[in-house]
């Protein structure tokens, strides 16, 4: 197994970026969420079309917020770094305005370092709930 030497602890970096995502989502700032993705970022939701690019990603998250999701609790399971790319495998809980659990999801994010900053590049997730 090879080890990539770095001055960054990738777990800490991704935890920090996820905290920023959760905080921005709680504020209802869909445009701010979009800015956390790379220029060529993609969100690939369950049962939906892929949102490509920051504007489409912002619109996707605005739509999610409009469905009643008011906060997200992201829980890092594992992250593996390969140079300027990292792969995150995690889970999350979605809550409504009364802090009631709406859904639980699992997700994979491919992170890319863009202009010196770690950004979401590919984001795919699906529900742990039963299909309807």
């Amino acid at each position: 197994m090879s080890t990539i030497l770095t001055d960054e602890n990738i777990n800490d970096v991704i935890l920090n970026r996820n905290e920023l995502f959760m905080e921005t989502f709680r504020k209802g700032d869909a445009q701010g969420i979009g800015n956390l993705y790379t220029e060529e970022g993609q969100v690939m939701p369950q049962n939906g079309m892929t949102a490509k690019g920051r504007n489409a990603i912002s619109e996707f998250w605005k739509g999610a917020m409009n469905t009643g999701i008011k906060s997200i609790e992201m829980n890092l399971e594992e992250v593996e770094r390969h140079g300027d790319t990292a792969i995150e495998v995690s889970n999350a809980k979605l809550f409504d305005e009364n802090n009631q659990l709406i859904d639980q999801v699992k997700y994979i994010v491919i992170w890319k370092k863009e202009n010196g900053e770690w950004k979401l590049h590919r984001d795919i997730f699906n529900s742990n709930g039963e299909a309807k």
Side-chain angles (χ1 to χ4, degrees):
M1 183 170 118
S2 64
T3 302
I4 299 171
L5 299 176
T6 177
D7 58 351
E8 295 177 308
N9 178 324
I10 195 62
N11 283 340
D12 290 343
V13 169
I14 300 306
L15 282 170
N16 179 273
R17 299 303 293 175
N18 284 346
E19 283 292 329
L20 180 58
F21 187 104
M22 291 183 288
E23 177 184 326
T24 305
F25 194 94
R26 274 191 298 274
K27 291 178 181 175
D29 183 2
Q31 187 65 46
I33 294 285
N35 291 335
L36 298 176
Y37 287 79
T38 62
E39 287 285 337
E40 302 297 321
Q42 294 181 11
V43 172
M44 295 171 269
Q46 175 175 305
N47 300 324
M49 299 298 294
T50 299
K52 298 178 180 179
R54 287 184 179 149
N55 288 336
I57 290 169
S58 294
E59 286 301 311
F60 169 80
W61 287 113
K62 181 179 178 182
M65 292 170 186
N66 289 340
T67 68
I69 302 168
K70 298 302 177 191
S71 67
I72 300 175
E73 178 186 299
M74 301 162 87
N75 301 294
L76 181 67
E77 291 182 19
E78 64 182 70
V79 63
E80 184 178 315
R81 182 175 179 177
H82 301 274
D84 285 346
T85 301
I87 303 163
E88 175 190 4
V89 177
S90 295
N91 67 74
K93 294 178 181 177
L94 312 177
F95 297 93
D96 68 14
E97 63 189 14
N98 297 316
N99 207 33
Q100 296 297 308
L101 182 65
I102 297 173
D103 199 1
Q104 296 183 63
V105 301
K106 55 198 162 289
Y107 66 91
I108 293 177
V109 170
I110 298 173
W111 294 84
K112 291 269 188 189
K113 207 166 192 183
E114 184 176 80
N115 300 319
E117 187 175 13
W118 285 98
K119 299 212 174 231
L120 296 100
H121 185 60
R122 299 290 185 264
D123 185 359
I124 186 166
F125 51 89
N126 56 60
S127 173
N128 291 339
E130 293 184 27
K132 295 179 182 179

